[in-house]
Amino acid sequence: MNRINPEKLLQSKWTAVSPRERERHFIVTRLIRDEQDEHVVEVVLQAVLTRRDYTLAWRELKADDVWQMGWK
């Protein structure tokens, strides 16, 4: 399981273990916070190849079988 500090996710790089539509490398472009603006709830990942954005809960990045830290 990846250890992640949600406050340091902005501009971090990720590799999808099972790429879809040739989208393998991603970068976190935005952090979405709760109503009190205290805690990170979701992140916006942008595919490097296609520039498509995907929103997901930041905790999903902890799954080693889905995501790897950095570009590999």
Side-chain angles (χ1 to χ4, degrees):
M1 182 172 277
N2 296 321
R3 267 188 96 130
I4 301 172
N5 179 349
E7 297 298 326
K8 296 183 179 184
L9 280 173
L10 191 61
Q11 299 299 317
S12 62
K13 299 171 183 173
W14 295 87
T15 301
V17 173
S18 300
R20 292 185 187 149
E21 298 180 31
R22 296 182 13 197
E23 294 177 334
R24 181 174 182 85
H25 297 108
F26 295 84
I27 189 164
V28 176
T29 58
R30 204 168 108 218
L31 302 177
I32 301 172
R33 299 178 178 273
D34 61 5
E35 290 105 22
Q36 292 81 23
D37 206 30
E38 293 178 13
H39 303 288
V40 176
V41 179
E42 295 178 320
V43 295
V44 177
L45 287 173
Q46 185 179 70
V48 174
L49 183 67
T50 61
R51 303 280 189 230
R52 280 192 265 192
D53 289 335
Y54 299 93
T55 303
L56 61 131
W58 73 267
R59 285 186 170 89
E60 291 183 36
L61 294 173
K62 289 184 172 187
D64 290 338
D65 57 334
V66 180
W67 297 104
Q68 293 180 341
M69 281 189 210
W71 290 345
K72 304 208 178 18

